[in-house]
């Protein structure tokens, strides 16, 4: 942390510093600077709070208080937050194979078990990385259905099948709240109760001075970039502060199933739910993290470890540089976190009231449009696993992790590799082996509208292993891709794959134009 970069001019501080320097040197010097910096930030936050309109005052105050606590912790922490020497492989029984959970079967009263569940989707993200405006959850992913449509269809199917009342809760951010609420009206006649609450809104801080960039509470105009939602670890505090947590506990709900709204594999699993509600050893489990086996594509994913006697999620950002390669190795850390989590509502309430949820701080550097370097302090929802009692990892099939982060992922889920049933995507039975092909579409395909323009129809990919496309490439109707296909149009060239073409284990390069006669 560049503690010495903040500017302080007061004479009293200088005398404090000279005294500290003469006594105990650097550590006291840093402590004085730290205290002064906290005071400066506190003053800035108080100034910002005075600009809040009366109807937003309480809410803004909660947000800024939360930020101050996070900032205080940020100043206290030194270096990577894990001691690599203490990291151990988790004990065998702390990560259960899904097959073992499934083998217990389902009880006759599965409906009453389901009635204690709430589905929570993390809906704070925008579609900007895929070239879309507005909430990512409103991007069309399959047969005109958006991520949100598929989620509602899944839960409605559950409620109709088992005659239950499983509600959907969306955690929005200030970036997605308004657009999401407008669209929710279309689900008024669905058999799903939908609730929303908002993530906190925290101020970004200048990388040099460590002071907030914002001068007032507005987040329009030049202040648009001054605020950010502080990562999904914020779910515990904002869910609690919204009052919704207490409401749902009052309705007899016991567990939340939390996942990213762009993970199309994260559907309600009755076997995991039953394991939670009827634990085999009688000890209630407060937190389940679904993990799955790493492939070469997942080397950066957070992994579950044993640390000081507790299960702990370790993310790549926390790993000392010297050990990053070891962290990425598929042989030592075989699994990663899917961010599908099952958490006890009563435990969230208890820990939140005791201020006992401990999550490492993720420092995320950003550069604003005007070139200003800022940092935003974030936390991750899964990092809280070490604060809960009797936590468990469940090693689930890869099919429960189907995130759509890029148009390459979108191509997979739009293709005939998957069939859609009641909002759930499942791998087509016609595919002979259950692995997902590796697809890499180049920068010409990054934005959804460019990607859609380049495919007249989605190719048949049932027998595809690997697809790489680079440069100005288009696909005609009814193209079939098999084995390994690499298509590279060099700068200035263009390749049109003709309608009906079958490419099997082919490399296509150079120039191929097909013009209407």
């Amino acid at each position: 942390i560049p503690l010495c970069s903040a500017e302080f001019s007061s004479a009293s501080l200088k005398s404090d510093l000279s005294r500290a320097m003469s006594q105990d040197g650097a550590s006291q010097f840093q402590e004085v600077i730290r205290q002064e910096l906290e005071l400066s930030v506190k003053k800035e936050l108080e100034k910002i709070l005075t600009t809040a309109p009366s109807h937003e005052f309480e809410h803004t105050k909660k947000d800024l208080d939360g930020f101050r606590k996070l900032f205080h912790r940020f100043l206290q922490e030194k270096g990577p937050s894990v001691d690599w020497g203490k990291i151990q492989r988790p004990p065998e029984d702390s990560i259960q194979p899904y097959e073992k959970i499934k083998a217990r079967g389902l009880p006759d009263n599965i409906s009453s078990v389901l009635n204690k569940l709430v589905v929570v989707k993390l809906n704070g993200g925008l579609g900007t990385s895929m070239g879309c405006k507005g909430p990512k959850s409103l991007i069309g992913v399959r047969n005109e259905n958006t991520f949100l449509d598929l989620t509602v269809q899944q839960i409605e199917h559950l409620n109709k099948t088992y005659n239950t009342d499983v509600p959907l809760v969306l955690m929005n951010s200030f970036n997605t709240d308004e657009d999401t609420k407008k669209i929710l009206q279309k689900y008024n006649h669905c058999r799903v109760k939908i609730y929303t609450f908002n993530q906190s809104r925290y101020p970004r801080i200048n990388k040099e001075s460590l002071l907030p960039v914002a001068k007032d509470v507005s987040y329009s105009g030049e202040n648009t970039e001054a605020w950010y939602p502080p990562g999904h670890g914020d779910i515990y505090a904002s869910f609690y502060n919204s009052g919704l947590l207490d409401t749902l506990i009052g309705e007899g709900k016991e567990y939340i199933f939390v996942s990213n709204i762009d993970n199309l594999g994260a559907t309600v699993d009755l076997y995991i739910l039953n394991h939670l509600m009827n634990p085999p050893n009688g000890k209630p489990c407060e937190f389940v993290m679904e993990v799955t086996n790493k492939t070469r594509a997942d080397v950066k994913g957070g992994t579950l470890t044993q640390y000081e006697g507790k299960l702990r999620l370790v993310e790549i950002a926390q790993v000392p540089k010297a050990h990053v390669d070891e962290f990425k190795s598929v042989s030592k850390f075989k699994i990663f976190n899917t961010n599908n989590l099952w958490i006890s509502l009563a435990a969230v309430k208890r820990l939140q009231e005791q201020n006992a949820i401990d999550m490492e701080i993720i420092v995320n550097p950003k550069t604003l449009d005007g070139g200003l370097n800022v940092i935003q302090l974030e936390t991750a929802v899964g990092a809280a696993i070490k604060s809960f009692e009797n936590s468990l990892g469940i090693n689930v099939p890869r099919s429960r992790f189907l995130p759509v982060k890029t148009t390459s992922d979108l191509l997979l889920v739009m293709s005939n590799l998957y069939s859609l049933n009641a909002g759930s995507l499942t791998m087509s039975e016609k595919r002979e082996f259950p692995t997902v092909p590796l697809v890499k579409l180049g920068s010409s395909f990054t934005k959804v509208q460019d990607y859609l323009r380049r495919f007249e129809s989605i190719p048949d990919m049932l027998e595809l292993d690997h697809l790489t496309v680079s440069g100005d490439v288009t696909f005609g109707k009814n193209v079939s891709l098999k084995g390994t296909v690499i298509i590279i149009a060099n700068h200035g060239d263009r390749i049109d794959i003709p309608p009906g073409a079958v490419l099997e284990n082919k490399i296509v390069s150079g120039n191929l134009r097909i013009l209407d006669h």
Side-chain angles (χ1 to χ4, degrees):
I1 303 165
L3 283 175
C4 305
S5 61
E7 293 170 32
F8 303 110
S9 54
S10 73
S12 66
L13 176 60
K14 283 180 181 159
S15 64
D16 282 348
L17 291 182
S18 56
R19 201 162 48 248
M21 290 300 280
S22 61
Q23 288 170 351
D24 197 18
S27 65
Q28 271 183 296
F29 169 69
Q30 289 215 331
E31 187 51 41
V32 172
I33 292 268
R34 194 178 297 152
Q35 287 170 5
E36 197 65 22
L37 186 52
E38 285 211 50
L39 196 62
S40 301
V41 166
K42 182 175 179 234
K43 283 180 184 164
E44 289 291 320
L45 296 178
E46 282 167 357
K47 267 191 233 164
I48 292 171
L49 188 56
T50 60
T51 68
S54 55
H55 66 281
E56 280 182 18
F57 185 85
E58 276 311 309
H59 192 78
T60 306
K61 186 173 186 307
K62 271 184 183 165
D63 281 356
L64 296 181
D65 285 348
F67 173 76
R68 234 178 79 201
K69 282 183 193 160
L70 192 62
F71 185 74
H72 172 77
R73 281 181 44 218
F74 163 67
L75 291 184
Q76 302 297 329
E77 290 181 6
K78 300 177 184 72
S81 46
V82 290
D83 175 347
W84 193 254
K86 291 183 181 175
I87 286 183
Q88 298 168 312
R89 274 195 192 168
E92 286 298 311
D93 60 347
S94 66
I95 299 181
Q96 300 271 347
Y98 176 76
E99 291 68 32
K100 188 176 169 186
I101 306 288
K102 192 174 179 178
R104 293 183 63 207
L106 293 175
D108 296 335
N109 66 337
I110 194 67
S111 296
S112 65
V113 171
L114 259 173
N115 270 326
K116 293 176 181 172
L117 180 70
V118 177
V119 175
V120 179
K121 292 287 181 183
L122 304 172
N123 185 44
L126 293 167
T128 38
S129 64
M130 292 170 77
C132 296
K133 284 193 168 75
K136 185 172 181 183
S137 55
L138 307 184
I139 294 175
V141 282
R142 180 85 188 210
N143 310 353
E144 306 294 309
N145 288 303
T146 65
F147 290 105
L148 188 54
D149 290 337
L150 295 177
T151 301
V152 172
Q153 286 168 27
Q154 286 164 22
I155 302 173
E156 183 175 47
H157 178 67
L158 263 184
N159 285 335
K160 284 179 172 172
T161 307
Y162 295 100
N163 192 24
T164 51
D165 179 23
V166 176
L168 169 63
V169 173
L170 300 172
M171 178 166 89
N172 298 339
S173 68
F174 65 90
N175 289 320
T176 61
D177 190 51
E178 202 178 315
D179 290 340
T180 301
K181 279 181 174 159
K182 278 182 199 157
I183 219 92
L184 288 182
Q185 293 164 13
K186 81 181 216 189
Y187 307 115
N188 283 348
H189 303 296
C190 294
R191 191 172 162 175
V192 183
K193 272 192 207 148
I194 303 179
Y195 303 92
T196 65
F197 69 95
N198 259 3
Q199 253 175 298
S200 307
R201 180 163 74 97
Y202 283 1
R204 285 177 166 151
I205 52 180
N206 184 312
K207 192 180 173 193
E208 296 307 318
S209 70
L210 296 185
L211 295 177
V213 177
K215 294 294 171 244
D216 58 57
V217 293
S218 71
Y219 48 97
S220 54
E222 59 185 37
N223 240 4
T224 316
E225 292 191 302
W227 301 90
Y228 72 101
H232 41 54
D234 185 54
I235 185 172
Y236 304 105
S238 47
F239 195 19
Y240 179 84
N241 289 338
S242 71
L244 191 51
L245 178 75
D246 281 331
T247 303
L248 292 166
I249 289 175
E251 290 175 6
K253 305 298 182 189
E254 292 181 19
Y255 277 89
I256 48 175
F257 171 48
V258 182
S259 63
N260 299 354
I261 199 155
D262 64 7
N263 178 7
L264 294 176
T267 55
V268 171
D269 186 281
L270 299 177
Y271 298 101
I272 295 177
L273 180 62
N274 179 48
H275 187 83
L276 286 169
M277 294 296 187
N278 303 302
N281 58 5
K283 276 200 311 191
C285 172
E286 293 185 345
F287 196 111
V288 160
M289 176 179 287
E290 293 186 33
V291 297
T292 194
N293 292 343
K294 265 188 191 180
T295 66
R296 300 267 170 230
D298 313 304
V299 290
K300 290 183 178 175
T303 193
L304 265 188
T305 63
Q306 173 93 342
Y307 192 88
E308 296 179 337
K310 285 263 196 179
L311 272 186
R312 176 156 172 172
L313 178 67
V314 175
E315 302 278 2
I316 194 161
Q318 297 163 259
V319 177
K321 280 203 170 60
H323 297 282
V324 165
D325 287 343
E326 194 182 338
F327 174 83
K328 287 179 174 179
S329 97
V330 180
S331 55
K332 180 162 184 180
F333 299 108
K334 293 183 165 62
I335 49 151
F336 73 98
N337 168 29
T338 63
N339 223 35
N340 300 347
L341 309 168
W342 303 74
I343 310 170
S344 153
L345 284 169
V348 173
K349 182 176 166 69
R350 179 190 80 236
L351 291 169
Q352 195 55 39
E353 287 174 351
Q354 294 169 352
N355 199 19
I357 294 183
D358 178 21
M359 294 171 283
E360 292 75 34
I361 295 173
I362 300 158
V363 179
N364 193 349
K366 298 266 179 190
T367 303
L368 304 188
D369 285 346
L372 182 69
N373 288 326
V374 296
I375 50 180
Q376 52 190 52
L377 305 178
E378 302 176 6
T379 55
V381 57
I385 187 167
K386 62 179 182 290
S387 302
F388 289 82
E389 292 301 316
N390 208 16
S391 299
L392 181 69
I394 296 181
N395 191 339
V396 297
R398 180 73 185 203
S399 57
R400 291 191 57 73
F401 184 68
L402 187 57
V404 180
K405 302 288 182 196
T406 62
T407 48
S408 302
D409 300 330
L410 196 55
L411 180 62
L412 289 168
V413 299
M414 288 175 110
S415 76
N416 60 347
L417 283 166
Y418 292 94
S419 49
L420 180 65
N421 182 21
S424 297
L425 286 182
T426 45
M427 178 76 74
S428 167
E429 289 173 1
K430 292 178 187 161
R431 183 161 173 89
E432 288 180 15
F433 30 92
T435 55
V436 179
L438 194 60
V439 171
K440 291 179 182 171
L441 299 178
S443 55
S444 309
F445 291 79
T446 304
K447 293 181 174 177
V448 172
Q449 66 197 72
D450 293 341
Y451 151 86
L452 291 171
R453 199 170 41 80
R454 290 177 177 279
F455 287 100
E456 268 194 67
S457 70
I458 303 296
D460 161 23
M461 292 166 42
L462 278 175
E463 295 176 44
L464 180 70
D465 297 323
H466 178 143
L467 172 68
T468 295
V469 182
S470 174
D472 187 359
V473 178
T474 63
F475 291 79
K477 277 197 169 136
N478 305 323
V479 169
S480 183
L481 305 172
K482 303 179 179 192
T484 295
V485 177
I486 298 169
I487 304 167
I488 296 173
N490 293 321
H491 186 66
D493 289 347
R494 176 167 153 185
I495 295 177
D496 296 332
I497 302 297
V502 177
L503 299 179
E504 182 167 5
N505 297 325
K506 290 280 184 284
I507 296 177
V508 182
S509 66
N511 211 356
L512 174 64
R513 298 296 309 269
I514 294 175
L515 302 171
D516 287 333
H517 181 56

